[in-house]
Amino acid sequence: VVIIDIFRASTAICAALHNGVEKIIPVTTIEEALAFKGKGFILASERQGMVIDGFDMGNSPQAFLNPDLIGKTIVFTTTNGTDAISAAREAKKIWIGSFINLSAIAEALIELNEETILLCAGWNNKFNLEDTVFAGALVSRVSSYLDCKSCDAAMTAEILYHSAEKDLLGFLYQSCHYNRLKHLHLEEDMEFSTHIDLAKVIPVFENGIIRAYQNS
Amino acid sequence: VVIIDIFRASTAICAALHNGVEKIIPVTTIEEALAFKGKGFILASERQGMVIDGFDMGNSPQAFLNPDLIGKTIVFTTTNGTDAISAAREAKKIWIGSFINLSAIAEALIELNEETILLCAGWNNKFNLEDTVFAGALVSRVSSYLDCKSCDAAMTAEILYHSAEKDLLGFLYQSCHYNRLKHLHLEEDMEFSTHIDLAKVIPVFENGIIRAYQNS
């Protein structure tokens, strides 16, 4: 399963591990996260697009590039992203995908050559544009190598991506979540989230922890 | 709620009422349908694309244009379509949409001017291409009059429709369900199902029965 929450959890996780964060502990509730407070962890959270009181940071992806975070462990809870990870917990492998590690994920999927679900986190259990456009980008990178034709959702996501690719950020201006975050003045986060291939890292979730995947 | 099951239940229902069928009783299971046998009803069914033994007809939309059916009552069970009707049963109004009554539905929605869900039946609880393309066609007809911008799914369906509209049938050749039905030699059904505006009727589901909607 590839977990996709472009604005902004999956982009933030990729940025963090790219920066050299040692590991990320995703938790579902704010209470679970706060239980880690004062024990040497960095606490990151987001609810309805905003940072929660008592946390060290929100989920602006650029903030995870801070050199102070190198080697640290981050406890992370977001509205949709950590729920998606939780939903996928029975999967054999759980990776985190974003535009910033698009090629790395695509190449690893081709090499792995196994049945894969692209799990779009969406927003409050609804379909959203940006996660599906990313899923389409991933399909477009792997469809010459893997069978994507037996799934209408994958084909449709790819068609959507081809409508978007010439001006990805401009295309995503239409998205409801873009507009929701724009009202919170988070345009920079969204611009960052549409940069392709800034990172080579693949975050993998295993035994409750997200780390950089060690490709054998 | 507009119920959408393009290949083929919603197209068949529109064709039937357009032809002059008096009413349609949708039922979920084959057993429920067979309980009506020998009581003056026409029994229509489909499972995995095929007619069931003991039924009078399947769900090829063209078959519902047979003049022998005028004034009759049809008991109808299909794989996905009747399940969708059942899922929507709490809605204030339940209409059935297809390409063959696209403009009629669009105009009625604009006149009604209420919050509407376009319920794509899909296939075995999965997303499918043809139902979403139709939803997009409907959005494209109503989006100048009704707010569709606050829903990424509606916007995405419209974008998809604009990719498809120049050659609707050709576009749908990609769809998994098209290929499934093609193996059953049902290409004519699918061609029929993509003809726009053959009918002006709006099927409405009320008190367990589908009839032509009487627009006041």
Side-chain angles (χ1 to χ4, degrees):
Chain A
V1 174
V2 180
I3 306 284
I4 301 166
D5 185 12
I6 296 301
F7 296 154
R8 300 164 290 164
S10 61
T11 307
I13 290 167
C14 293
L17 295 182
H18 171 68
N19 179 30
V21 163
E22 195 203 328
K23 54 186 195 286
I24 296 168
I25 304 174
V27 298
T28 303
T29 67
I30 291 166
E31 293 67 34
E32 283 174 83
L34 287 173
F36 288 86
K37 201 171 166 74
K39 296 176 182 170
F41 299 95
I42 308 288
L43 268 56
S45 75
E46 171 268 346
R47 282 295 180 278
Q48 306 301 323
M50 289 173 289
V51 188
I52 309 285
D53 279 351
F55 282 73
D56 302 306
M57 57 192 299
N59 72 343
S60 276
Q62 308 92 297
F64 288 83
L65 295 177
N66 185 335
D68 293 346
L69 297 174
I70 296 173
K72 296 278 168 60
T73 296
I74 298 176
V75 176
F76 193 25
T77 177
T78 76
T79 308
N80 307 288
T82 45
D83 280 356
I85 291 172
S86 170
R89 64 186 177 278
E90 303 292 331
K92 234 163 78 184
K93 275 196 175 65
I94 302 174
W95 292 350
I96 319 284
S98 70
F99 285 108
I100 76 167
N101 70 340
L102 171 60
S103 293
I105 288 270
E107 286 159 20
L109 285 178
I110 292 165
E111 196 182 328
L112 189 66
N113 193 18
E114 290 200 31
E115 201 172 330
T116 303
I117 291 171
L118 307 184
L119 178 53
C120 296
W123 177 259
N124 290 341
N125 292 320
K126 284 185 187 150
F127 172 96
N128 78 14
L129 190 64
E130 62 277 12
D131 293 348
T132 310
V133 166
F134 172 76
L138 202 43
V139 172
S140 78
R141 299 290 183 106
V142 304
S143 60
S144 311
Y145 306 94
L146 308 174
D147 168 34
C148 303
K149 294 288 175 206
S150 52
C151 173
D152 277 11
M155 273 193 298
T156 302
E158 186 177 4
I159 293 163
L160 188 68
Y161 172 65
H162 290 311
S163 299
E165 63 183 329
K166 277 186 192 151
D167 176 15
L168 196 52
L169 188 62
F171 187 86
L172 295 180
Y173 286 162
Q174 306 172 76
S175 121
C176 295
H177 198 38
Y178 186 97
N179 287 292
R180 217 175 283 121
L181 295 175
K182 193 179 154 188
H183 281 114
L184 302 170
H185 308 291
L186 296 168
E187 289 97 328
E188 275 181 29
D189 288 18
M190 295 184 284
E191 200 199 328
F192 181 86
S193 299
T194 54
H195 282 188
I196 291 177
D197 290 345
L198 292 179
K200 286 195 197 313
V201 73
I202 298 176
V204 58
F205 175 78
E206 215 171 25
N207 303 322
I209 290 169
I210 301 169
R211 294 176 190 271
Y213 180 60
Q214 305 298 332
N215 210 337
S216 59
Chain B
V1 174
V2 179
I3 305 284
I4 302 166
D5 184 12
I6 295 302
F7 296 154
R8 299 163 289 164
S10 60
T11 307
I13 290 167
C14 293
L17 295 181
H18 171 68
N19 179 32
V21 163
E22 196 204 327
K23 55 186 193 288
I24 296 168
I25 304 174
V27 296
T28 304
T29 67
I30 290 165
E31 293 65 35
E32 285 175 83
L34 287 172
F36 288 86
K37 201 171 166 74
K39 297 176 182 170
F41 299 95
I42 308 287
L43 267 56
S45 75
E46 170 269 345
R47 281 296 179 279
Q48 307 299 322
M50 288 173 289
V51 188
I52 308 285
D53 279 351
F55 281 72
D56 303 306
M57 58 194 297
N59 71 344
S60 277
Q62 307 92 299
F64 288 82
L65 296 176
N66 185 336
D68 293 347
L69 298 174
I70 295 174
K72 295 277 168 60
T73 297
I74 298 176
V75 176
F76 193 24
T77 177
T78 76
T79 310
N80 308 288
T82 46
D83 278 356
I85 292 173
S86 171
R89 66 187 176 278
E90 303 292 331
K92 232 162 81 183
K93 276 197 174 63
I94 301 175
W95 291 350
I96 319 284
S98 70
F99 285 107
I100 77 168
N101 72 339
L102 171 60
S103 293
I105 288 270
E107 287 159 19
L109 284 179
I110 292 165
E111 195 181 332
L112 189 66
N113 193 17
E114 289 200 32
E115 201 171 332
T116 303
I117 290 171
L118 308 183
L119 179 53
C120 296
W123 177 260
N124 290 341
N125 293 320
K126 285 186 186 148
F127 173 96
N128 79 14
L129 190 65
E130 61 277 13
D131 294 347
T132 310
V133 166
F134 172 76
L138 203 44
V139 172
S140 78
R141 299 289 184 107
V142 305
S143 59
S144 312
Y145 306 93
L146 309 174
D147 168 33
C148 303
K149 295 286 174 207
S150 52
C151 174
D152 277 11
M155 272 194 296
T156 302
E158 186 177 4
I159 293 164
L160 188 66
Y161 172 65
H162 289 312
S163 300
E165 64 182 330
K166 277 186 193 153
D167 176 15
L168 196 53
L169 188 62
F171 187 85
L172 295 179
Y173 286 163
Q174 307 172 76
S175 121
C176 295
H177 198 38
Y178 186 97
N179 286 292
R180 218 176 282 122
L181 295 175
K182 193 179 155 190
H183 281 113
L184 302 169
H185 309 290
L186 295 168
E187 289 96 329
E188 275 181 28
D189 288 17
M190 297 184 282
E191 200 199 327
F192 181 86
S193 300
T194 54
H195 282 187
I196 290 178
D197 290 345
L198 292 179
K200 286 196 197 312
V201 73
I202 299 175
V204 58
F205 175 79
E206 214 171 26
N207 302 322
I209 289 169
I210 301 170
R211 295 176 190 271
Y213 180 61
Q214 306 298 332
N215 211 337
S216 58

